[in-house]
Amino acid sequence: MVNAVALFATEGFGAANLPYGSFSLDGGNTFRLGVRLGDKVIDLGALAATVPGLSQKAQAAVSFHNLDLLLAEGATTWRPVREWIVATVTSDEHADAVTAAAHDIESATFQLAFSPADYVDYYASEHHATNLGKMFRPNEAALKPNWKHLPVGYHGRSSTLVVSGTNITRPKGLRPRGEDAPSFGPSERLDIECELGFVVGGSAPTGEVSVQRAAEEHIFGVFLFNDWSARDIQNYEYVPLGPYLGKSFASTVGTWIVPWDALKDARIAPSERTEPLADYLDDSEAAGGPYGLDITLGVTVNGETVSHPPYGLMYYTAPQMVAHMTVNGATLSPGDTFGSGTVSGFDKNQRGSFIELSWGGKEPLQLADGTEMTFLQDGQVIGLTGTAKGAHDETIDFGDCIGTITPAT
């Protein structure tokens, strides 16, 4: 019998990828940890019970209902687990065992693949930050003086991170009305932020995780991430302490968590740094090369692609973000999550938010059916896509990250 990769692999979901997800076959009553191969999700607990090669700790971790135990064990466990998975699905000897543990994705229900701990969102795209600066501060420099010296970010709300497919209820709040008093009601400028998200594992109880250690020991996986934003609510509240209700109502996490180690072939140099970085952020001599990632993202409206944000143009990398969040002594815990910030490029069709695509609502976006839109409308299905180069010239597909807008309550 041929191996499971030959049997099940599809474009984007072959042996180079094998992303993790938490799935249920009984409508959401019980969940299992799995990896995706083609259009199948493979039950890792069932596989570990029949295929030898894992330590006792590793077998317990993959038999859990999500990634939490694997994240807690750290890189010294999750790397051998990935090696075991790759070896198993590419082995003719274990094809029957993989087939027995494989289930159709269409028959499964999914939850968040991990339990989010702390959550931080960054603002690491120079093009996005410049576009918003031009809109909001037309008489000032688009970038604030600190922007090229540190990754700007804010501490968000982890309890409202939701899995792909969860409906997004239009949030309510105070909306500015020029010189008049603000009005309370549903957001009139609901938006997306097309991002990548990252989840870390292992612990750093005293903080100060270096760029190198972040990459080698702590960043576990990467996923599509839509940090929904109510621009009108955010605009009224964010000075002087930053985003709050305009951001905390929902952020969508992609179904599949692509292992950090699967993206080695996608690594590229980040955008040129035009200001010197502090030593703790310096990644110029990183072992194995720089930590930029050549990932092409997509934004869809009811299935129509309206933008292709290029992650490869980001100014700051994920390991730098970990180094920054811990340099003051802040701890790092399994399940800590952070977003890259909106990804945008040079061109209009590379913008990762509708505030940019419509230039603050002044230049409506025309869809293929001739309709125009500025911000999100009730009933629209908004999706993110992502692909990268994987090992052996395979494509890595990040799967789905979808939310449908429902009316305010």
Side-chain angles (χ1 to χ4, degrees), residues 118-167:
D118 279 324
Y119 161 53
V120 173
D121 194 40
Y122 282 101
Y123 191 53
S125 165
E126 182 174 2
H127 301 289
H128 173 69
T130 298
N131 285 340
L132 264 60
K134 288 178 178 178
M135 277 187 250
F136 296 158
R137 300 182 299 274
N139 299 319
E140 303 177 26
L143 294 180
K144 290 293 186 179
N146 64 343
W147 197 90
K148 290 196 173 183
H149 293 278
L150 57 81
V152 174
Y154 75 95
H155 198 166
R157 184 177 179 87
S158 61
S159 63
T160 49
L161 270 61
V162 297
V163 72
S164 174
T166 304
N167 289 344

Side-chain angles (χ1 to χ4, degrees), residues 46-370:
L47 193 63
T50 58
V51 177
L54 291 181
S55 68
Q56 188 173 4
K57 284 185 176 180
Q59 186 167 350
V62 301
S63 301
F64 201 54
H65 64 88
N66 65 7
L67 283 166
D68 288 0
L69 291 185
L70 197 57
L71 294 174
E73 290 294 339
T76 56
T77 296
W78 72 57
R79 286 207 172 91
V81 165
R82 177 166 171 79
E83 292 169 1
W84 171 80
I85 295 170
V86 173
T88 301
V89 300
T90 56
S91 166
D92 294 348
E93 177 187 357
H94 298 305
D96 286 338
V98 178
T99 299
H103 305 276
D104 292 338
I105 284 175
E106 291 185 357
S107 66
T109 301
F110 293 89
Q111 67 172 357
L112 283 177
F114 59 93
S115 301
D118 279 324
Y119 161 53
V120 173
D121 194 40
Y122 282 101
Y123 191 53
S125 165
E126 182 174 2
H127 301 289
H128 173 69
T130 298
N131 285 340
L132 264 60
K134 288 178 178 178
M135 277 187 250
F136 296 158
R137 300 182 299 274
N139 299 319
E140 303 177 26
L143 294 180
K144 290 293 186 179
N146 64 343
W147 197 90
K148 290 196 173 183
H149 293 278
L150 57 81
V152 174
Y154 75 95
H155 198 166
R157 184 177 179 87
S158 61
S159 63
T160 49
L161 270 61
V162 297
V163 72
S164 174
T166 304
N167 289 344
I168 305 301
T169 302
R170 184 177 297 273
K172 296 178 289 190
L174 291 173
R175 307 161 301 184
R177 289 292 184 260
E179 298 298 321
D180 297 330
S183 66
F184 176 81
S187 171
E188 297 167 340
R189 293 165 70 92
L190 184 59
D191 199 359
I192 70 161
E193 292 195 343
C194 174
E195 306 188 20
L196 280 186
F198 303 85
V199 60
V200 304
S203 297
T206 59
E208 297 198 56
V209 175
S210 69
V211 169
Q212 191 77 30
R213 281 184 56 212
E216 294 179 356
E217 302 174 20
H218 290 290
I219 300 178
F220 172 84
V222 189
F223 49 87
L224 298 175
F225 188 60
N226 187 348
D227 193 27
W228 307 88
S229 298
R231 299 295 182 184
D232 42 359
I233 297 170
Q234 181 182 355
N235 178 262
Y236 190 70
E237 73 183 358
Y238 83 103
V239 177
L241 294 182
Y244 187 31
L245 299 186
K247 303 284 286 184
S248 63
F249 59 96
S251 301
T252 299
V253 173
T255 302
W256 302 104
I257 312 300
V258 175
W260 173 253
D261 289 342
L263 295 170
K264 291 179 180 178
D265 288 79
R267 283 169 63 170
I268 58 172
S271 293
E272 179 185 3
R273 278 66 179 268
T274 53
E275 294 287 344
L277 293 174
D279 288 346
Y280 78 94
L281 292 172
D282 184 5
D283 60 354
S284 59
E285 298 182 4
Y291 296 113
L293 293 171
D294 186 11
I295 298 173
T296 300
L297 300 172
V299 177
T300 65
V301 179
N302 296 335
E304 176 187 343
T305 300
V306 298
S307 178
H308 285 289
Y311 191 82
L313 295 179
M314 297 297 271
Y315 197 87
Y316 293 102
T317 69
Q320 286 177 311
M321 295 175 195
V322 174
H324 184 65
M325 74 171 74
T326 62
V327 73
N328 66 345
T331 61
L332 201 65
S333 301
D336 281 352
T337 307
F338 60 99
S340 64
T342 306
V343 182
S344 291
F346 296 101
D347 301 324
K348 182 174 182 178
N349 65 358
Q350 294 179 320
R351 297 170 184 172
S353 64
F354 286 93
I355 194 171
E356 295 172 272
L357 285 166
S358 69
W359 206 252
K362 297 177 181 178
E363 302 173 9
L365 178 70
Q366 188 167 40
L367 301 178
D369 64 2

